[in-house]
Amino acid sequence: MLTAFAIVTDGLVYAAYLFVVAIGLTLIFGVMKILNVAHGSFYAFGAYGAATAVGIYFDRGLPDAGGFLFMILVAMAIGLVIGLVLERGILRLAYGRDEVVIVLITYAVFLILEDMLILIWGTGSLAAYQPLVAAGNVEVGALILSGYDIGLVIFAGLLALGGSYALNYTRPGRLLTVVIFDRETAAAFGINVTLVYTATFALGAILGALGGAVMAPKIAVTLGIGVEVIVLAFAVVAIGGMGSMEGALVGALIVGLCRAAAVHLVPQIELFVIYGVMALVLIFRPHGLFSRAEPRKI
Amino acid sequence: MITTRATTRGAAAAVLGSAIALAAGTASAQQPAQSVKLGVVSFLTGPAAGPFGIPARNAAEILIEGLNTGKVPAPYNKVGFGGAKIESKIVDEAGSTAQQVTEYRNLVQRDGVDAIVGYISSGNCLAVTPVAEELKTITVLFDCGTPRIFEEAPRKYVFRATPHATMDSVGAARYIVEKKKNITAYSGINQNYAWGQDSWRDFVLAMKTLAPKATVDKELFPKLFAGEYGAEVSALLTSKSQVIHTSFWNGDLESFIFQSSARGLPQRIPIIMTAGETAVARLGPKMPDGTIIGARGSHGAFFSPDNELNRWFRQAYVDRFGVQPTYPSYHMAQSILGLKAAWEKAAAAKNDARPSVDEVIAAFEGLEFQAPSTTIKMALGKGHQGIGDISYGTYKYNKQKGQPEIVDVVRYPAECVNPPADMTSTAWLEGGMKGAKCK
Amino acid sequence: MTNRSTLIGALAFLVLAAAAPALPPWLISLATIAFAHALVVLGLVIMWRAGLVSFGQALYYAVGAYCVALVSRFTGITDAFVLIVLGGLAAGLLAVLVGFLLARYREIFFAMLSLAMSMILYGVLVKTEALGSTDGFNVAPATFLGYAPEGAMLNLALFWLVLVLSALAAAAIGVYFRSVAGAIAVPVRDNEIRIEFLGLSVNRLIHLKLVIAGILGGVGGALAAMTISHVDPNMAYWTTSGGFVFVTILAGAGSIAAAFVGSFAFEMLRSIAVALLPGAWQLILGSVLLITILFVPDGLGSLFMRKTRGKEGEPA
């Protein structure tokens, strides 16, 4: 019973982490068909920015809530700037090229940004644990849960709800859906696809940085955190269906719960869980769980 | 488009041209006959750069500078290596083993280094070892832990002054058994790669001998750089252990500390961190009280002894970099000093003339020399593998002084925690650690 | 055109082989690894012509490498020719097996499923403590039909071996590209249904490509294992696959020679970047690659194919 409860709570926390990490990736892929390797850099820049913000804000006796907000705003601002610079400065030059070529461009950008981190923040790690401490913890039976983790699960849930609402019920969201569905028709109907692309990429970058920001208090913000996130986010998105918001959520939940179950029941297989689940899902649902049927061209 | 093509072709030609120039330049640059060219390999980028690579490079930097100006205290007060100034070339250790092997060859064959001090990753150490033997270049591995290097085959050109990782686990087990006499169960959380697996295996073997009644409860192996340890913390919270063993290092170690502290794990079960020392100064009050800290030796601000050499080293390091040197810095320092000691011993035998490679090797084998934190004896692997003392202690944050402290420090002599020369470490551990001399 | 490029290729091969003893040894080692990797890249080029990109080609590379390492460790066989055949066969066999599954996939799903496969192998290798887990283990020096060179001579021998295998592979792939199964690659990419209306099975065509690419990957891995004289699970990690894909795009799918030139250029560039700026070499690497991708759209291969392609009325 205790183990089952632990699996569910740990699974939810891990799923929340995966979802906030994957949502920006799936958005950019859905709209622009770009598998964005630089997503890992957005995450890393968000985390570094948030850690810097936490360092500036906390331990000054200011209210904690303002610190959370400040941390998130700084990361989002960094995401916005990087996203705009990349899309306007580099990706714009490559639209229309083979999708793989664009993947490679984002890979080159990732290499560059990885060293930019060193140039800006140095090689040492940053700590931003204050929000984690401020959130406290609650005792549930033999378990102790972190208040921050609970907040993270709620945050991910709100993000999913908000994203789904924005896509389905707001004008920009519905325009986005149109572009996702058929880019050429959308353009023919007068939708400014260039603008939609710029906005999407910037939004994806902001979400990536946001993922880094909310994780920053839990981790040592250090070199290489971006690399780990890339392949994790890819796996979640591939399981859920590339470009699908619901897919990212379900993919994150499946992986999160499977991993938690593995750690508690058979720790030996933890290393294989994500790729095992991904291979299984792709074998039975080749395009992921939530994929639209693609017409075959004749 | 045609013009773009032309420019890129020009650019490509320029790149190729500069490549050739670089190659030619380094090949033809004649070193003054006096200097010793030393290749230094350490992580400058990637996750291991912050905790290990950069502190080690920093130590190399001040030590080489100190040696070149003759400022290092006796017995290392001779300039450079036997009067010859040291010229260093620093290379990044990040990248695949294929890349490291290529860069190793570049250092020897293109840049013409006389010796190499480097390598933090055990995989890289194992990979460059046969190349070092092939190219007949003295190579002092400085931080990697795997005992396999000298246990799999005898080596001629490869040395390691830093003791191997068996010592970390044996020291940890001895400390725990000493401090928690009636331990009945313990758990481990280690990264799922060679270092984590080896550390845990050695620790369990040592515990079997020292506390035969204690059982293993949870054995957790999260992926390296996993970053999120929620499930692991839950599993440990519900375990019945009296102590948790971890060989995590910086990034993962700090993440684990933050996440487990936020959920009250260290307050419930103390944790022993075999590589915890590098995190202590950085975390300060965030390191949970009662945590048992190791430093892969007797290194750093808390464990190293007060002697002239160590005072100089720490002062020079703090003056330059504003922080205390941690154990990777000490590993680098003792590796360079060991090479210097061997070099000068060989030179002394021929009236201070420059020794040959074979003469340095002969002098290095079985050498006993003073390092800032301990005396290193090149006792294992036919005189190629050093052994030294190791210390463990318990962390306590001193609120009055606002400083971290390590209390209950126990220093174990080298022969107490290292296998004898004629045995592999696994055989020694499985055989019940016979022949260990602890007093 | 084909005759001329064959001639140039043969000439380059002879010049390289003859000049090798006079070249600096570090350059020989670098070129050996670069050409071994070029074989893996060649496999990716074959698939890319059909519109497929594998993010898991390191699977075959690692299988080839570990096959060599395990056979020489447990049987004592060190003959390079035997080991390479075994490495190629092992990887090829694996490709036949996973091909039944993978050949049904396209686009990004193909890429992701191949990635999952290679990551599972990575996990297995990391878990195998008897093989040193992530530390890997050493490979005994190769011998050549009883001839056991040492030091610089061994490196030269390996270089010549890699060179000969590269030439053989290049010639064989050239023949394959001109065969029906090979020539149909571009139409497969453009429109599968039309191919099926011609009575050909697209999946079977792709399966064949996977196996060829798998064998090339295995041979490349086998050569790399002998050259580096060390294997570790990182050879199966996704970043290794990523590197191969990178070189493929850098080289372009246009020509076979480009795979070799591209691979060499990549290794050289990385080595120079590390020497110039040890603390931020990825910055140089990334920038140069970015500029290349942006301004040399068809890859390095297009630089020396300009004339011939111009004739075909390529849009400028």
Side-chain angles (χ1 to χ4, degrees):
Chain A
M1 189 57 216
L2 177 66
T3 313
F5 177 71
I7 289 174
V8 172
T9 50
D10 297 335
L12 281 178
V13 173
Y14 199 74
Y17 160 57
L18 291 176
F19 181 70
V20 294
V21 160
I23 180 173
L25 186 78
T26 204
L27 177 73
I28 290 180
F29 186 85
V31 177
M32 304 169 79
K33 299 285 172 283
I34 293 176
L35 190 59
N36 180 24
V37 180
H39 189 73
S41 307
F42 299 159
Y43 176 87
F45 268 85
Y48 270 93
T52 312
V54 166
I56 294 171
Y57 186 92
F58 277 86
D59 301 328
R60 283 173 193 251
L62 298 166
D64 290 341
F68 287 103
L69 202 63
F70 183 52
M71 165 181 105
I72 283 176
L73 285 178
V74 168
M76 288 172 74
I78 290 178
L80 178 67
V81 171
I82 302 180
L84 285 180
V85 169
L86 283 187
E87 202 276 340
R88 289 286 81 194
I90 296 172
L91 286 177
R92 192 175 49 86
L93 303 174
Y95 287 150
R97 302 269 299 272
D98 201 302
E99 278 168 26
V100 181
V101 174
I102 300 185
V103 175
L104 265 289
I105 290 176
T106 63
Y107 184 58
V109 167
F110 164 73
L111 288 179
I112 296 171
L113 288 179
E114 202 67 353
D115 275 358
M116 296 285 279
L117 283 177
I118 299 183
L119 297 180
I120 299 172
W121 280 285
T123 50
S125 66
L126 302 181
Y129 55 80
Q130 290 90 336
L132 183 64
V133 175
N137 57 33
V138 283
E139 213 158 320
V140 185
L143 274 184
I144 302 170
L145 303 181
S146 154
Y148 194 88
D149 284 345
I150 298 170
L152 190 65
V153 172
I154 296 172
F155 174 80
L158 288 178
L159 202 60
L161 281 179
S164 160
Y165 174 81
L167 269 185
N168 294 319
Y169 299 102
T170 67
R171 190 178 151 76
R174 302 194 69 155
L175 290 182
L176 209 61
T177 321
V178 174
V179 178
I180 292 175
F181 201 78
D182 192 332
R183 192 191 145 191
E184 279 170 23
T185 316
F189 274 85
I191 294 175
N192 187 345
V193 174
T194 315
L195 184 67
V196 170
Y197 271 29
T198 309
T200 305
F201 197 81
L203 190 59
I206 291 173
L207 287 169
L210 196 60
V214 295
M215 281 306 285
K218 296 188 67 177
I219 59 171
V221 179
T222 185
L223 295 176
I225 53 174
V227 188
E228 293 312 306
V229 158
I230 295 171
V231 76
L232 218 52
F234 277 16
V236 168
V237 167
I239 290 168
M242 304 290 298
S244 155
M245 179 88 75
E246 303 89 332
L249 185 61
V250 174
L253 281 170
I254 292 177
V255 173
L257 290 170
C258 286
R259 183 180 178 277
V263 171
H264 283 282
L265 304 174
V266 260
Q268 293 83 358
I269 64 160
E270 188 267 342
L271 197 62
F272 305 96
V273 165
I274 290 182
Y275 303 102
V277 169
M278 177 161 126
L280 272 180
V281 168
L282 286 184
I283 286 169
F284 294 107
R285 294 273 309 177
H287 292 190
L289 294 173
F290 285 76
S291 52
R292 257 181 322 114
E294 292 276 340
R296 289 184 86 184
K297 50 192 175 182
I298 297 183
Chain B
M1 206 56 202
I2 297 297
T3 44
T4 343
R5 279 273 168 79
T7 7
T8 41
R9 282 176 113 187
V15 168
L16 202 64
S18 60
I20 292 162
L22 181 87
T26 44
S28 64
Q30 284 298 314
Q31 304 307 325
Q34 279 300 308
S35 73
V36 175
K37 205 159 181 198
L38 194 64
V40 176
V41 189
S42 179
F43 280 104
L44 306 179
T45 62
F52 302 149
I54 300 295
R57 185 207 58 189
N58 290 349
E61 220 172 81
I62 57 157
L63 207 64
I64 289 171
E65 207 175 290
L67 288 175
N68 280 343
T69 48
K71 281 195 193 132
V72 185
Y76 301 108
N77 48 358
K78 206 174 241 179
V79 168
F81 280 3
K85 289 217 166 147
I86 305 164
E87 255 186 85
S88 63
K89 173 144 176 68
I90 294 176
V91 172
D92 187 8
E93 199 188 327
S96 63
T97 43
Q99 189 181 339
Q100 284 318 309
V101 167
T102 309
E103 288 308 324
Y104 185 98
R105 287 182 187 277
N106 286 348
L107 272 177
V108 175
Q109 296 176 326
R110 185 179 73 194
D111 305 330
V113 298
D114 297 298
I116 291 174
V117 177
Y119 303 103
I120 291 167
S121 140
S122 288
N124 287 340
C125 283
L126 282 166
V128 299
T129 293
V131 191
E133 297 288 317
E134 178 203 320
L135 299 179
K136 304 192 189 329
T137 305
I138 297 177
T139 301
V140 187
L141 308 173
F142 88 94
D143 190 64
C144 51
T146 182
R148 287 171 52 201
I149 297 187
F150 301 99
E151 289 180 357
E152 285 186 348
R155 315 288 182 185
K156 183 171 179 208
Y157 296 90
V158 179
F159 290 85
R160 180 168 55 188
T162 304
H164 59 54
T166 302
M167 176 175 98
D168 307 326
S169 297
V170 175
R174 287 199 188 282
Y175 190 84
I176 284 178
V177 173
E178 202 172 316
K179 297 293 164 197
K180 300 187 186 298
K181 297 224 160 46
N182 40 15
I183 182 164
T184 55
Y186 57 98
S187 294
I189 173 166
N190 290 282
Q191 291 143 319
N192 207 343
Y193 80 120
W195 162 259
Q197 295 161 355
D198 293 353
S199 294
W200 175 244
R201 190 195 55 226
D202 289 357
F203 179 74
V204 172
L205 283 173
M207 287 297 281
K208 270 191 185 135
T209 303
L210 298 173
K213 287 196 186 118
T215 54
V216 174
D217 186 8
K218 297 273 194 314
E219 292 182 275
L220 300 171
F221 282 104
K223 183 178 155 340
L224 183 60
F225 308 135
E228 160 67 53
Y229 302 101
E232 283 83 359
V233 172
S234 292
L236 292 170
L237 273 172
T238 55
S239 83
K240 302 275 174 287
S241 320
Q242 278 106 44
V243 71
I244 296 165
H245 168 273
T246 183
S247 61
F248 273 29
W249 44 271
N250 253 50
D252 284 1
L253 179 62
E254 288 179 25
S255 302
F256 178 67
I257 293 172
F258 295 151
Q259 291 171 29
S260 59
S261 308
R263 299 176 58 188
L265 175 63
Q267 287 75 29
R268 227 179 242 191
I269 308 169
I271 304 171
I272 180 161
M273 302 173 179
T274 60
E277 187 257 343
T278 58
V280 170
R282 291 182 21 76
L283 291 185
K286 269 310 291 167
M287 182 68 93
D289 273 2
T291 301
I292 302 163
I293 301 289
R296 301 201 56 213
S298 287
H299 311 300
F302 305 103
F303 299 117
S304 63
D306 189 35
N307 60 44
E308 205 196 340
L309 181 59
N310 190 25
R311 270 198 299 276
W312 173 83
F313 179 63
R314 280 178 67 174
Q315 197 55 51
Y317 196 100
V318 172
D319 286 349
R320 171 79 63 88
F321 304 108
V323 289
Q324 293 279 350
T326 49
Y327 77 75
S329 315
Y330 279 85
H331 283 172
M332 176 58 88
Q334 67 197 22
S335 301
I336 293 179
L337 290 176
L339 182 59
K340 176 183 167 72
W343 187 287
E344 287 172 2
K345 186 180 159 200
K350 48 191 285 191
N351 284 328
D352 286 345
R354 190 182 171 107
S356 70
V357 170
D358 283 345
E359 285 159 348
V360 176
I361 289 171
F364 211 159
E365 282 175 348
L367 185 70
E368 189 169 325
F369 64 95
Q370 184 60 48
S373 54
T374 181
T375 302
I376 299 281
K377 296 178 212 108
M378 302 298 287
L380 309 182
K382 298 201 178 0
H384 287 246
Q385 166 68 59
I387 57 171
D389 300 353
I390 190 167
S391 298
Y392 273 89
T394 306
Y395 179 85
K396 197 166 161 293
Y397 191 74
N398 187 325
K399 288 204 179 72
Q400 278 95 44
K401 285 195 205 154
Q403 269 177 0
E405 273 178 4
I406 305 266
V407 295
D408 277 345
V409 173
V410 181
R411 188 173 172 124
Y412 298 99
E415 285 84 0
C416 176
V417 287
N418 282 289
D422 53 354
M423 244 180 169
T424 66
S425 41
T426 314
W428 180 61
L429 285 169
E430 282 170 349
M433 301 193 282
K434 293 206 176 65
K437 289 192 272 291
C438 290
K439 282 288 168 235
Chain C
M1 176 227 158
T2 32
N3 282 337
R4 224 186 67 190
S5 59
T6 316
L7 201 68
I8 294 175
L11 209 65
F13 166 75
L14 287 175
V15 168
L16 270 178
L23 291 173
W26 62 269
L27 195 61
I28 293 295
S29 306
L30 191 143
T32 311
I33 290 184
F35 288 166
H37 287 176
L39 289 175
V40 188
V41 169
L42 208 52
L44 284 170
V45 167
I46 292 174
M47 290 198 283
W48 195 27
R49 281 163 61 96
L52 293 170
V53 174
S54 164
F55 286 168
Q57 206 61 9
L59 174 69
Y60 310 105
Y61 177 71
V63 164
Y66 264 83
C67 178
V68 166
L70 289 173
V71 168
S72 72
R73 181 171 162 148
F74 290 110
T75 68
I77 296 172
T78 54
D79 189 84
F81 300 99
V82 175
L83 291 176
I84 284 167
V85 170
L86 287 177
L89 274 181
L93 204 64
L94 183 70
V96 171
L97 291 178
V98 297
F100 286 111
L101 184 65
L102 276 175
R104 297 191 280 125
Y105 290 75
R106 301 292 179 270
E107 295 173 5
I108 206 72
F109 308 99
F110 175 82
M112 295 309 291
L113 193 58
S114 11
L115 178 122
M117 302 269 181
S118 83
M119 289 304 286
I120 288 172
L121 175 69
Y122 172 78
V124 171
L125 293 176
V126 168
K127 274 284 174 196
T128 317
E129 287 183 48
L131 297 180
S133 181
T134 42
D135 284 350
F137 59 98
N138 286 343
V139 181
T143 55
F144 305 83
L145 304 174
Y147 170 58
E150 277 178 20
M153 208 45 226
L154 175 62
N155 291 321
L156 263 183
L158 279 171
F159 177 69
W160 279 323
L161 179 67
V162 169
L163 214 53
V164 170
L165 283 170
S166 301
L168 286 177
I173 301 302
V175 171
Y176 172 71
F177 279 172
R178 288 191 290 277
S179 74
V180 174
I184 213 100
V186 181
V188 164
R189 164 155 85 181
D190 291 343
N191 196 320
E192 286 192 8
I193 289 181
R194 288 191 197 165
I195 304 295
E196 287 185 348
F197 285 177
L198 291 176
L200 295 166
S201 160
V202 171
N203 284 3
R204 209 171 292 161
L205 286 170
I206 286 179
H207 201 155
L208 177 65
K209 286 178 199 304
L210 286 176
V211 174
I212 297 176
I215 293 173
L216 284 170
V219 172
L223 286 166
M226 284 188 266
T227 312
I228 307 163
S229 54
H230 188 80
V231 293
D232 61 33
N234 211 34
M235 290 178 137
Y237 201 59
W238 72 272
T239 46
T240 309
S241 301
F244 291 137
V245 176
F246 210 131
V247 177
T248 309
I249 310 295
L250 191 71
S255 88
I256 296 167
F260 295 92
V261 177
S263 187
F264 181 74
F266 182 76
E267 291 289 333
M268 197 69 206
L269 174 65
R270 182 163 65 186
S271 189
I272 294 169
V274 171
L276 285 182
L277 215 56
W281 54 276
Q282 296 196 84
L283 191 70
I284 303 182
L285 190 66
S287 309
V288 173
L289 293 171
L290 189 61
I291 291 168
T292 317
I293 300 169
L294 286 179
F295 298 107
V296 193
D298 296 320
L300 290 177
S302 66
L303 289 180
F304 44 80
M305 296 222 353
R306 193 158 69 94
K307 269 188 185 160
T308 35
R309 298 207 50 181
K311 268 189 231 159
E312 288 160 18
E314 183 210 19

